[in-house]
Amino acid sequence: MSDKTYYITTPIYYPSDKLHIGHSYTTVAADAMARYKRLRGYDVKFVTGTDEHGQKIERVAKASGVTPKQYVDEIVAWIKELWTTMDISYDTFIRTTDDHHKETVQKIFKKLYDQGDIYKSSYEGWYCTPCETFYTERQLTDGKCPDCAREVEKVKEESYFFRLSKYQDKLIAHIEQNPDFIKPQTRQNEMVNNFLKPGLEDLCVSRTSFTWGVPVSFDEGHVVYVWIDALSNYITALGYLSEQDEDYTKYWPADVHLVGKEIVRFHTIIWPAMLMALDVPLPKQIFGHGWLIIDGGKMSKSKGNVVDPKILVEKYGVDAIRYFLLREVAFGQDGNFTNEALIQRINADLANDLGNLVSRTIGMIDKYFAGNLLSSRQDTEFDAEIRKMAAVCVEKVEQYTEKLLFSDALTEIWNLVRRTNKYVDETQPWVLVKDEENLPKLSNVMYHLAESIRIISILIQPFMPNTPKAIWEQLCVKDESITTWESAKSWGRLPQDLTIKKGEIIFPRIDIKKELEALEEAQKKTQEKSVAHQEKAKQVQEVSKEEKVEPYISIDDFAKTQLRVGEVLQCEKVEGSDKLLKSQIKIGEEIRQIVSGIAKHYTPEQMIGKKVIVVTNLKPVKLRGVLSEGMVLAASDEAGNLVLAAVDHDIESGAVVR
Ligand code: MSP
């Protein structure tokens, strides 16, 4: 293994629902970089995973009638499948529900508490559950979440706090001394001017109003704030504070954390401050990329405008989608996603430029030389330029990719693709073939075309992992040493007596009009599903919010309700009502009259002699003019069934239920 290491991460994804093409954007970019570094001889660690705790997940799982763990397991399996579909070559998939991760998060929390960086207090403020973020009153925009514009909830609870404010000056100094720490530069300016300079407040880092999280080991009832839990993944994935910490020693500090722009703040303020407190070196870079937007706004489930990556891959193949994502948008900026733009790129860049170059070259070698080039060669006046351009292209691709400027790197490669196509027009093989004397020249032209294609196929490997293999098959490349990255730097590595094998067209042209209709139809179906899902999630949110006003009662609250066992001595229908029964119930020494809405489920005869559970300290009321001094407990479901709550064995009337 190489001693040059490279550690790259994506954010860990919320498994709150199926991921869309915007999510694939971060992962595809990280994957391209990981593949590039491997090709350059680095020992790469590429980590991705899922961020599975928090109130949001607890609520959605509850609404779906499953446990949070069952809920996340299903979606995590789906996410892993998606990454297989997108050809994501991650080395580690970390789940925040992994035992080793939870244990380390507990150790981190305890360590920070023991050394005084975490302290107990109480939190009163606002919380955006979809973003899992705390806000002060002044940070809200029109009373809503400044990030996603959704409703926020008032939170008041006992909490632990992290002394974020203590690290403010140290952080500013670090950013100033390390200009590559936050990239692109605009994000750095935003963090320094909008957050660091105005001043940091200590951060609430535990919650008590729900349980789906990593428990604080020394204080029952508290769970660790999801962002502290989630950010820690970057070191827990390497075995930090565990017995198996070889990866931590080997790969940390990370070379780059790739993140979307909306979470740069967590990664460039909270995360480095945590690491400073832990006395752990900071990552070398946090790169905040832009969003894939649609109709001018962020792709999101709530807008019902999400694009399903699996549909796109099924239709056009994974390499085409990866190419589009990395080529269309300058990494760092926002970029619009449209079906037209996607199909146009596939047609123009992949079918016309690259696909055509490969098929015409292979076709001509097949036609003019029956698949075998002549070894005798003669130069043409156009050869030197193409050779030079290929050499320069490799250098530029390296420079751009090192800086995560994928779109620029691909532009350079496509300049070479187009220049090579132009070389065909310049050398005019169809004219050369007419004169036998020109065959050495023609053979030379074909060789130059094939060599240029070989170099192009090597350079596209990080971005399009499957296309190179399809090209090499047609060029009959068996020798792996001529497809290494370094081999792209030397011209003339293909055998002089090259043999080719005609194969399938690598990127067929798409009929844009027909395809747009088919694509829109397919996407409409998934969007309808997604809107239905969104509606449900909204309802859940509403219900949960109501519940949240007082999520728990104390034992003292419960003790306020007096429950006793009663025996029904007499029972009859309440006159004029088909729902109510009036019972005389013996509770210890006392006999009470209680009216219950159970007449549709029990006859008076069935009631007599039953032992029931009665709430005895309810304020007496009159129902249909009949006095009721308490309430008989019963269970009912949505289907309309009702049964009386009963005691398991016979017990004296008057017994206390608690
Ligand atoms: N769980 C947090 C990250 C914790 S990291 C310690 C989270 N998850 S997420 O699932 O909401 O987002 C994961 C990544 O997908 C983020 O980098 C986010 O920016 C990215 N994207 C989500 N929608 C996107 C677009 N429409 N366009 C580009 N990237 C987008 O945040």
Side-chain angles (χ1 to χ4, degrees), residues 10-16 19-27 49-52 56 79 96 130-131 226-234 258-264 266-267 271 289-294 297-300 334-335:
T10 71
I12 48 172
Y13 291 80
Y14 290 129
S16 51
L19 305 185
H20 55 68
I21 193 80
H23 295 109
S24 304
Y25 184 61
T26 318
T27 320
T50 38
D51 181 0
E52 304 181 19
K56 184 166 55 177
I79 291 176
T96 53
C131 296
V226 268
W227 271 100
I228 298 293
D229 171 2
L231 288 162
S232 304
N233 95 85
Y234 299 128
L258 275 195
V259 302
K261 62 179 184 180
E262 82 284 15
I263 55 173
V264 167
F266 298 91
H267 284 82
W271 179 228
H289 66 72
W291 286 340
L292 215 53
I293 52 180
I294 200 158
K298 194 184 177 203
M299 205 175 281
S300 85
D334 288 347

Side-chain angles (χ1 to χ4, degrees), residues 557-616:
D557 292 331
F558 177 70
K560 287 184 193 151
T561 311
Q562 287 175 13
L563 299 170
R564 312 266 301 268
V565 175
E567 185 181 353
V568 182
L569 301 180
Q570 284 177 27
C571 184
E572 61 186 88
K573 283 196 158 192
V574 171
E575 233 173 85
S577 164
D578 55 356
K579 285 194 193 134
L580 300 177
L581 292 183
K582 177 175 75 175
S583 310
Q584 307 302 320
I585 302 182
K586 178 173 182 293
I587 305 163
E589 299 302 306
E590 192 187 354
I591 295 177
R592 291 221 193 162
Q593 173 171 290
I594 296 178
V595 178
S596 324
I598 56 175
K600 291 212 164 138
H601 306 275
Y602 292 90
T603 61
E605 295 70 38
Q606 285 173 324
M607 289 298 291
I608 295 172
K610 273 202 189 307
K611 291 257 168 84
V612 291
I613 298 174
V614 180
V615 184
T616 54

Side-chain angles (χ1 to χ4, degrees), residues 361-376:
T361 301
I362 299 292
M364 286 188 289
I365 298 177
D366 186 56
K367 190 168 159 200
Y368 301 149
F369 296 99
N372 283 303
L373 285 190
L374 296 182
S375 311
S376 60

Side-chain angles (χ1 to χ4, degrees), residues 459-471:
L459 299 182
I460 61 174
Q461 286 179 97
F463 316 101
M464 306 166 83
N466 302 290
T467 308
K469 286 177 228 140
I471 295 176

